[in-house]
Amino acid sequence: MSHCYQKILLFYGCSYRPRARNEWLDWQLSRSATSLGCPGGRAPTEAPTVYFPDTRFRARTSSTMARTALPIATGVVVAAVASALLNRWLAQKAERRNPPIGRFITVKGVRLHYVERGTGTPLVLLHGNGSMIEDFQSSGLLDLAAKKYRVIAFDRPGFGHSDRPRSSVWSPDAQADLIAAALKQMGVPRAIVLGHSWGTLVAVALALKYPQEVQAMILASGYYYPNARADVFILSPPAIPLIGDVLSHTVAPLLSRLMWPFLLRKIFGPSPVPKKFQGFPEEMAVRPSQIRASAAESALMIPSARALRDEYGQLQMPVAIVAGADDRFIESEQSTHLHRDIPHSTLRCVPGTGHMVHQTATGEIMTAIDMVAAQNRRPEVVTSAA
């Protein structure tokens, strides 16, 4: 092809392929030859045929794709709606089968479910992420402690039968404010506080913000220092606005049911899951509302530990730290590190025990409670100035 024809074709923005001649196009090319400065003022007598892109194939392809995509999209929507309805029905069924075992108190507009048993020094129990009061009840710790103490076990916001208003970010500080207000409303001026797993963050925040109201602490299998955790990224998506609502009402509850046996092996290992844990209502833990609350706490786990890590040395009350030496969920080194940062604390790493130390070594937790209670009862020695 001559340079002149190249210029003409570029002028019209066309590509070319060998094809039958187009007389109208030849006439257009001849007219354009003069204006584009071709020698002789006319186009060459022989020229390749210009090919205009055929959009009919693209239109047919787009139409086919649209016809294919529509049924797929419809199927996805139908499946999502069906799973949401199924999960709602399962959640309602779970709540009917597992009614509240305690009482309710409304604090700052939040309805909290709690169980109170026994008499004596108040002992507050704060469960971990994804759990509820029934964890302490099934372990036997609640009834065992009630023989000596006035035990108050809370369903933390969003778990069990407690509300979790979406207008607040339920950080350890926010939950500490709520628990402190609830205890005040219940007429409890001071209490021993026990936290397990994520509940240790709430216990520490409570002790830091309200030191006069926390008599002593027991911290079991806690997470205290930020580090990289794959489970945080895996479990957090249901907390994302909008997308998380869809996930928590559709696929997340179903996946949680499938993953439940694996999760139990992870948190109980190397110990086997005890038969007494059968009293824990799994179906309550996989409700959409609780899955979203659990995802939110997973997302808050690392930043919460980062916010608290420099303040542990300020704790002045008796502190007993208990951990499973073979914890596969939160490494026991976290507890060892905390013991170094709270010099007056005691540390007990239970051999052969995992994350659920209160379930598999209930006696060790009870010993820790009695120990800090006894430390707090010791009379202070007051010396007068000479």
Side-chain angles (χ1 to χ4, degrees):
M1 178 190 293
S2 69
H3 177 66
C4 181
Y5 260 94
Q6 293 178 19
K7 291 170 66 179
I8 294 169
L9 294 176
L10 289 172
F11 177 79
Y12 283 103
C14 303
S15 60
Y16 60 90
R17 292 183 185 175
R19 200 166 178 173
R21 291 179 63 85
N22 187 313
E23 294 179 359
W24 178 86
L25 184 58
D26 286 346
W27 176 74
Q28 289 288 344
L29 292 173
S30 298
R31 288 185 57 195
S32 301
T34 302
S35 61
L36 292 175
C38 290
R42 60 187 177 85
T45 56
E46 294 185 3
T49 303
V50 175
Y51 169 68
F52 289 96
D54 186 0
T55 59
R56 289 176 296 175
F57 175 74
R58 293 181 183 176
R60 288 194 298 270
T61 303
S62 299
S63 178
T64 302
M65 291 177 64
R67 288 197 300 269
T68 304
L70 184 59
I72 293 175
T74 303
V76 169
V77 171
V78 170
V81 171
S83 61
L85 292 174
L86 173 62
N87 288 322
R88 182 180 179 182
W89 178 77
L90 290 172
Q92 293 173 342
K93 178 183 176 183
E95 290 168 358
R96 288 194 302 270
R97 286 162 51 94
N98 300 276
I101 59 175
R103 291 179 284 180
F104 289 92
I105 184 171
T106 301
V107 185
K108 298 183 176 182
V110 181
R111 191 167 181 254
L112 286 177
H113 176 233
Y114 71 98
V115 166
E116 183 175 355
R117 293 180 190 169
T119 59
T121 302
L123 170 65
V124 175
L125 306 182
L126 301 173
H127 61 75
N129 188 8
S131 192
M132 59 197 83
I133 291 171
E134 283 82 354
D135 183 14
F136 291 122
Q137 183 181 43
S138 64
S139 71
L141 180 62
L142 198 156
D143 290 332
L144 188 61
K147 295 177 180 179
K148 300 180 180 180
Y149 304 93
R150 177 188 175 187
V151 181
I152 304 169
F154 287 98
D155 275 338
R156 293 192 295 106
F159 300 100
H161 293 280
S162 291
D163 294 341
R164 190 183 181 100
R166 298 180 66 166
S167 56
S168 299
V169 176
W170 291 103
S171 64
D173 275 4
Q175 294 192 40
D177 290 338
L178 191 68
I179 298 298
L183 292 174
K184 183 177 181 180
Q185 194 168 318
M186 295 166 65
V188 179
R190 297 189 77 208
I192 299 171
V193 179
L194 182 152
H196 173 252
S197 193
W198 213 95
T200 61
L201 294 171
V202 181
V204 169
L206 184 64
L208 288 169
K209 296 189 75 173
Y210 305 94
Q212 299 303 317
E213 299 173 23
V214 177
Q215 180 175 327
M217 274 199 304
I218 303 93
L219 304 175
S221 303
Y223 179 76
Y224 312 106
Y225 301 92
N227 59 1
R229 296 185 61 88
D231 58 327
V232 168
F233 298 99
I234 295 171
L235 300 175
S236 296
I240 300 172
L242 299 179
I243 296 174
D245 291 319
V246 174
L247 292 174
S248 61
H249 284 85
T250 55
V251 297
L254 302 177
L255 289 175
S256 297
R257 290 174 183 272
L258 293 175
M259 292 172 59
W260 187 255
F262 168 78
L263 176 62
L264 292 187
R265 289 195 297 271
K266 179 79 171 178
I267 61 178
F268 276 97
S271 302
V273 180
K275 289 184 178 180
K276 61 183 179 180
F277 192 71
Q278 293 176 356
F280 182 85
E282 169 199 344
E283 56 187 348
M284 290 285 285
V286 296
R287 293 171 299 159
S289 59
Q290 185 145 328
I291 285 176
R292 191 181 185 284
S294 182
E297 296 206 342
S298 294
L300 287 169
M301 189 172 175
I302 294 174
S304 297
R306 183 180 293 111
L308 292 170
R309 65 180 175 181
D310 294 328
E311 301 184 48
Y312 298 137
Q314 299 178 25
L315 298 170
Q316 299 299 315
M317 68 286 296
V319 177
I321 305 168
V322 184
D326 300 302
D327 194 332
R328 298 172 180 176
F329 190 65
I330 297 176
E331 58 277 8
S332 60
E333 287 77 8
Q334 291 262 344
S335 295
T336 304
H337 189 177
L338 182 67
H339 178 49
R340 291 196 299 268
D341 284 349
I342 308 176
H344 66 275
S345 66
T346 61
L347 172 65
R348 171 66 171 147
C349 288
V350 185
T353 302
H355 189 65
M356 301 294 279
V357 65
H358 61 295
Q359 286 275 353
T360 56
T362 311
E364 293 281 356
I365 300 296
M366 199 64 230
T367 298
I369 295 171
D370 292 339
M371 181 180 63
V372 295
Q375 288 177 1
N376 200 268
R377 284 195 294 266
R378 289 174 185 169
E380 295 183 1
V381 177
V382 180
T383 57
S384 59

